[in-house]
């Protein structure tokens, strides 16, 4: 276990070195031409949409290093490379596909399900996934951390049925650890909140974020802790990710994973089985496999329901039940995820 005195943890100044996660964050690849050049795929440049189709390219260099050079169908590359298809206007694909705004309870607070509230903790991500369900979310107005968590904490205070707080975004671990400490000081005054869940892709795409300061904070939290990762393909999980997951577990977190079913990336049973096996090697259990949220600009990733269900039937014949994620769709207004 990680040890740290609470007093020291709360007052420790955050220092930055040239090699820490913030520097790696800043060094991310943000130019599609550079990304293609790094992979020897310059010839694809003529197929890029103008202005990244209105959603900036961003990918940490450590994630680029896990892509296969010269492979234009690399499953990691396809998750981040802007495509002309994003400009297609497809009926049924909208800006708020999961009814986020209808569930807004306070600034940066979404309240959809019984007993749980979700904070849009941050609008930033280390990586921009082209299929992102919140690629059109108005982060400028809706961020819980922006007002020192005041509105969010007030909402939680007034509803004692909320026992679990979910930090989402964007990526909540994009926040400085000092900002997370600020939140946990507020949570300490809310005895009905007993569990903290963190939805984050950072341990996968920038595992350096799981640093000593963050782990000290996590370890000392007087709450049950769940970290839900987001990985879609086994190639995303290298030794650095396995080590980050191990550190999270050592700090007392239950670590789960959610994936999105993506055409051309992970829509075959062998790929999904390999992902589950690799996750388990990292001490992570598969939790959800999401059907794509029908967000404008993402239709080319969609897999038909019948095909998705057939994939799951095959997956069940290949894996023990605890390695089979639940195939679900989120439908705005529903009181839970909808199993398929
Ligand atoms: S990490 Fe999550 S919130 Fe961020 S771009 Fe990817 S899918 Fe969207």
């Amino acid at each position: 276990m990680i040890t740290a005195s609470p007093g020291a943890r709360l007052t420790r100044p955050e220092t930055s070195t040239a090699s820490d996660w913030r520097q790696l964050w800043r060094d991310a690849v943000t130019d599609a031409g550079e990304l293609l050049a790094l992979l020897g795929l310059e010839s694809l440049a003529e197929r890029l949409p103008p202005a990244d189709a209105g959603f900036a390219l961003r990918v940490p260099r450590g994630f680029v290093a896990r892509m296969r050079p010269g492979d234009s169908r690399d499953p990691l590359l396809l998750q981040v490379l802007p495509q002309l298809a994003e400009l297609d206007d497809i009926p049924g694909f909208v800006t708020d596909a999961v009814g986020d705004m209808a569930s807004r309870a306070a600034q940066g607070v979404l309240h959809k399900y019984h007993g749980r509230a979700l904070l849009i903790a941050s609008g930033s991500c280390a990586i921009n996934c082209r299929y992102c369900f919140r690629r059109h979310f108005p982060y400028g107005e809706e961020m819980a951390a922006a007002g020192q968590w005041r509105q969010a904490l007030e909402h939680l205070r007034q509803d004692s049925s909320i026992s679990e707080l979910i930090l989402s975004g964007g990526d909540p671990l994009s926040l400085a650890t000092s900002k997370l400490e600020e939140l946990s000081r507020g949570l300490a005054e809310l005895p009905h909140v007993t569990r903290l869940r963190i939805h984050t892709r950072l341990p996968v795409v920038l595992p350096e974020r799981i640093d000593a300061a963050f782990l000290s904070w996590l370890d000392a939290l007087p709450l049950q802790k769940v970290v839900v990762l987001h990985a879609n393909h086994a190639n995303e999980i290298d030794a650095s990710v396995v080590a980050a997951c191990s550190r999270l577990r050592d700090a007392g977190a239950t670590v789960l994973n959610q994936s999105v079913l993506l055409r051309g990336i992970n829509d075959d049973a062998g790929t999904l089985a390999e992902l589950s096996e690799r996750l388990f090697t990292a001490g992570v259990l598969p939790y959800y496999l999401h059907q794509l949220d029908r967000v404008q600009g993402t239709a080319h990733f969609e897999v038909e329901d019948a095909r998705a269900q057939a994939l799951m039937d095959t997956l069940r014949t290949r894996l023990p039940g605890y390695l089979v994620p639940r195939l679900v769709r989120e439908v705005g207004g529903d009181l839970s995820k909808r199993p398929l």
Side-chain angles (χ1 to χ4, degrees):
M1 296 289 272
I2 295 145
T3 53
S5 95
R9 192 176 61 256
L10 293 175
T11 55
R12 183 193 53 251
E14 292 212 19
T15 55
S16 180
T17 65
S19 61
D20 77 5
W21 68 273
R22 284 155 290 197
Q23 186 63 46
L24 296 169
W25 180 296
R26 285 191 289 274
D27 284 347
V29 177
T30 56
D31 178 78
E34 183 190 357
L35 175 60
L36 293 176
L38 285 169
L39 297 168
L41 291 167
E42 293 88 338
S43 61
L44 297 186
E46 61 193 28
R47 290 196 241 154
L48 293 171
D52 288 348
F55 184 46
L57 178 144
R58 161 170 277 279
V59 53
R61 286 174 196 274
F63 196 78
V64 176
R66 297 173 224 161
M67 299 176 185
R68 295 186 292 250
D71 183 355
S72 62
R73 304 303 303 165
D74 179 85
L76 277 55
L77 174 65
L78 292 178
Q79 293 182 48
V80 300
L81 186 68
Q83 305 281 346
L84 280 168
E86 294 174 41
L87 301 174
D88 296 344
D89 194 8
I90 308 290
F93 284 77
V94 297
T95 53
D96 181 5
V98 294
D100 272 347
M101 295 319 291
S103 66
R104 182 191 184 280
Q107 186 187 23
V109 182
L110 307 183
H111 197 163
K112 295 185 179 181
Y113 305 135
H114 176 76
R116 288 147 281 167
L118 181 148
L119 301 197
I120 301 292
S122 160
S124 300
C125 290
I127 189 167
N128 283 349
C129 314
R130 307 312 298 177
Y131 52 85
C132 178
F133 70 131
R134 293 207 176 110
R135 63 182 279 174
H136 305 287
F137 192 84
Y139 288 115
E141 301 129 48
E142 294 295 341
M143 273 201 288
Q148 278 69 49
W149 313 101
R150 269 192 300 275
Q151 282 209 32
L153 289 167
E154 191 49 37
H155 178 74
L156 297 174
R157 185 172 294 114
Q158 287 177 8
D159 188 344
S160 60
S161 74
I162 299 171
S163 58
E164 176 167 341
L165 179 63
I166 303 169
L167 297 186
S168 182
D171 199 310
L173 298 195
S174 66
L175 295 172
T177 302
S178 57
K179 202 75 185 167
L180 297 171
E181 290 168 348
E182 201 177 87
L183 172 67
S184 52
R185 283 196 291 274
L187 290 179
E189 295 166 16
L190 305 173
H192 56 281
V193 178
T194 56
R195 191 155 58 230
L196 184 72
R197 190 194 324 174
I198 303 174
H199 284 186
T200 177
R201 192 143 158 72
L202 268 164
V204 176
V205 303
L206 194 68
E208 294 82 358
R209 173 61 184 103
I210 310 306
D211 62 5
F214 171 74
L215 290 164
S216 294
W217 171 77
L218 187 68
D219 189 52
L221 270 184
L223 299 167
Q224 294 176 307
K225 297 159 276 199
V226 182
V227 175
V228 183
L229 308 178
H230 170 188
N232 302 307
H233 194 283
N235 291 3
E236 294 175 47
I237 302 166
D238 70 1
S240 66
V241 177
V242 173
C245 294
S246 170
R247 295 197 293 276
L248 289 169
R249 289 199 316 279
D250 287 348
T254 297
V255 188
L256 307 172
N257 181 68
Q258 53 186 345
S259 308
V260 183
L261 185 60
L262 298 164
R263 193 200 306 169
I265 293 173
N266 60 6
D267 59 335
D268 71 85
T271 300
L272 291 171
E274 193 183 352
L275 172 62
S276 281
E277 297 277 10
R278 190 77 61 89
L279 285 166
F280 194 64
T281 302
V284 180
L285 282 172
Y287 170 40
Y288 279 145
L289 176 63
H290 291 266
Q291 263 296 37
L292 183 81
D293 297 317
R294 304 190 97 202
V295 172
Q296 195 178 80
T298 68
H300 53 294
F301 287 115
E302 192 172 49
V303 177
E304 287 175 1
D305 280 358
R307 217 169 135 254
Q309 287 159 330
L311 281 174
M312 294 305 295
D313 287 344
T314 307
L315 203 56
R316 275 187 282 273
T317 67
R318 295 199 185 173
L319 292 172
Y322 57 88
L323 289 186
V324 180
R326 275 164 278 175
L327 178 68
V328 292
R329 166 173 286 121
E330 181 167 349
V331 178
D334 276 11
L335 297 179
S336 70
K337 300 280 191 297
R338 192 176 288 187
L340 289 177

